Amino acid sequence: MPKLAVIHHRHEDWVAALSEAEPRLEIRGWHPRDAIEADSAWLADTEALFTWRFPEGFLKKMPRLRWIQNSGAGVDHLVQHPEIAPEILITRADGQFGLWMARYVCGHLLAEAQRLEECSIAQRQARWEGKLLPEDLTGQSALVVGFGRIGRQIGRALRELGLEVHGFVRSGRADEEFPLHGIAELAQHLPKARLLVLCAPLTDETRGMVDARLLAHGHAGLTLINVGRGDQVVVPDLLEALDSNHLGHAVLDVFSSEPLAETSPLWAHPKVTITPHHSGPSTPKAMIPDLLENLRRYAEGLLPRDLVDRGRGY
Ligand code: OXD
């Protein structure tokens, strides 16, 4: 087993869970804010790091670093990190994010379709609102941008709810399960869409893709759910689209800068729902099996699973 350093805001949980699952593992953890002060002698010959974010300059303490296991699904912050040498392996986590995110997307869509907010207002007023029918989602179109494991799982869940799902990837290709289009075709599908879901990695192609040009094809019945990356949406253009009825509702779980600043106009907008980047929580329970498998593979000199292609960016 390699020695494993953990730099994470919940390092105690990860160290406890990993030590219990693999007692032979030599593991130590630090909060990112304490990482610069961490035991240099121990880190100096440690080859593996489990992290989400670490402070600037920290990697100088790990000259033998060979492998970084990200604790989340998105790796844009690592792929673009100037301190991570190109030969260092980066792996992303699976962690059942697809299932979590499918629940998130379906939950927010169903809350709208079942008109939960109006029902609870009526209930608080002891008002029997007999005409408040749920919306029929059957045959309505859902566009899912980013169609890897996570996007596909979201697509399957939406299909179970009766929607017609289209996936969007770098360039369209034949697929046995769903129509898959290139991202460049998104605009032409938007006028008929009920739902636009973003769950793509942040790359040069997806950065700023939801902008005024794209949203001009939207309409008041369209909902955007972003579980991808904040930088994929141009916020002033989003606000403008909501105000001019080119978009009906934006459900945002990710933001360019997190936590979202108190001064952001998004908080108070009546057509925006904000959640604290919780659509795909990284939990030890979900992730330990994959982590242990990767540690074993690393110890045996095999390439770890879910290896990131740093050139491609994910
Ligand atoms: C992410 C995550 O990559 O939460 O955003 O895992």
Side-chain angles (χ1 to χ4, degrees), residues 1 31-32 51 80 111 130 137 163 197 214 218 236 271 295-296 300:
M1 280 284 148
H31 193 284
T51 193
Q80 294 155 11
L137 293 172
L163 288 104
V197 180
L214 181 72
K271 295 183 184 173
L295 282 162
R296 279 187 208 113
E300 286 167 23

Side-chain angles (χ1 to χ4, degrees), residues 25-130:
L25 187 62
E26 203 184 323
I27 180 169
R28 291 184 62 180
W30 292 270
H31 193 284
R33 101 184 135 237
D34 304 324
I36 291 293
E37 306 305 322
D39 182 343
S40 301
W42 192 86
L43 287 168
D45 64 351
T46 302
E47 293 182 13
L49 172 65
F50 175 83
T51 193
W52 172 244
R53 293 195 192 277
F54 51 83
E56 204 180 313
F58 169 74
L59 291 190
K60 286 200 196 88
K61 298 174 84 96
M62 297 189 73
R64 305 264 311 265
L65 181 66
R66 292 290 165 271
W67 167 39
I68 299 180
Q69 169 72 53
N70 183 38
S71 71
V75 286
D76 42 289
H77 56 300
L78 298 178
V79 167
Q80 294 155 11
H81 202 296
E83 291 175 23
I84 303 178
E87 65 278 9
I88 292 177
L89 304 175
I90 300 176
T91 47
R92 56 198 288 281
D94 179 318
Q96 301 171 16
F97 292 121
L99 187 56
W100 283 109
M101 288 179 169
R103 291 182 190 131
Y104 178 96
V105 169
C106 292
H108 284 276
L109 177 67
L110 288 175
E112 280 181 11
Q114 298 301 125
R115 308 181 70 174
L116 295 190
E117 198 171 333
E118 288 140 287
C119 286
S120 82
I121 293 171
Q123 180 182 347
R124 284 199 296 278
Q125 297 168 351
R127 187 160 44 80
W128 181 267
E129 196 55 90

